[in-house]
Amino acid sequence: MAEFVYPPVIGAALTAFRALDVRIKTVGAEHIPARGGAVLVSNHISYLDFLFAGLGAYRGGKRKTRFMAKDDVFKHRISGPLMRGMKHIPVDRTDGQPAYEAAVRALKAGEVVGVFPEATISRSFMLKKFKTGAARMAADSGTPLLPVVLWGTQQLWTKGRPKTLTKRHVPVTIMIGEPIHLGPNDKPVMVTRRLRAAMSEMLDQAQREYPAKPSGGDDTWWLPAHLGGTAPTLEVAEAEDEAEALARAERRAARG
């Protein structure tokens, strides 16, 4: 079923991007493995990142990425059938082990599995702390890690900002790095550090080479603070995330 659902979804997304003149630049497509399993690891700055990260793998070799996503998306009457049809992997945040095992099975079967190791969107647009799940999946399945960095997607739809899905002429960079192959003695924590360091260099390059600039003083929100933008610093963003998580936990407790 996935092969009947995935290509039309990609086609519909590309049609929409062309209509809006979203200027997609893919760098490093040659690093997409032609076959075999791989853990595609992407930064997370937009609600649309799975589309663009998946597009990078699809352009690089017609690989279809099965993303791990929270199970709420699979319960939606519109997105649910699409997510299931494309064989994405639902994650129950109260018990992630079944999703982990499903991902490892897919990797061993030769699939590309997509992971956002920061877990949630980065409000600072810089890399947050990485969870070690991607490295553990790569080790358990004997597959490489494939680092991917996105830049520009935050201008379309991100946390704490209104949707601007009809914004035209937005440049989007999809940068794919060299696969990271794990050795038998590699520890997930150390591999995760290597992965984050590599993606940090890629993100810096994507930001430096990005062709667009803010259109005015009120358009600096999508730039990180160290580049002169008004996005919160990583430390401030982490504090906001913690406050949001606490408020969410309190609401769940109040509901019983």
Side-chain angles (χ1 to χ4, degrees), residues 74-163:
F74 291 79
K75 298 173 183 176
H76 191 275
R77 62 184 181 86
I78 296 175
S79 63
L82 291 174
M83 295 293 283
R84 289 189 294 273
M86 290 186 283
K87 291 187 179 178
H88 294 312
I89 301 170
V91 180
D92 182 345
R93 291 190 175 180
T94 63
D95 181 13
Q97 189 61 27
Y100 181 90
E101 293 172 357
V104 171
R105 286 196 300 271
L107 290 163
K108 288 182 176 180
E111 298 277 11
V112 177
V113 172
V115 178
F116 297 106
E118 298 165 282
T120 58
I121 289 174
S122 172
R123 302 172 193 260
S124 70
F125 308 130
M126 300 301 294
L127 297 182
K128 300 166 61 176
K129 294 176 182 177
F130 278 18
K131 296 183 181 298
T132 61
R136 289 189 289 111
M137 282 192 292
D140 287 347
S141 61
T143 58
L145 293 162
L146 188 65
V148 174
V149 158
L150 305 172
W151 189 247
T153 61
Q154 74 273 30
Q155 292 199 63
L156 297 171
W157 187 16
T158 193
K159 181 179 285 189
R161 300 287 306 185
K163 294 180 189 177

Side-chain angles (χ1 to χ4, degrees), residues 4 9 51 92 96 149 154 158 173 227:
F4 292 105
V9 170
L51 280 174
D92 182 345
V149 158
Q154 74 273 30
T158 193
T173 301
L227 293 179

Side-chain angles (χ1 to χ4, degrees), residues 33-51:
R35 62 186 63 83
V39 184
L40 186 155
V41 186
S42 175
N43 66 324
H44 203 6
I45 54 176
S46 164
Y47 291 111
L48 303 177
D49 288 340
F50 74 97
L51 280 174

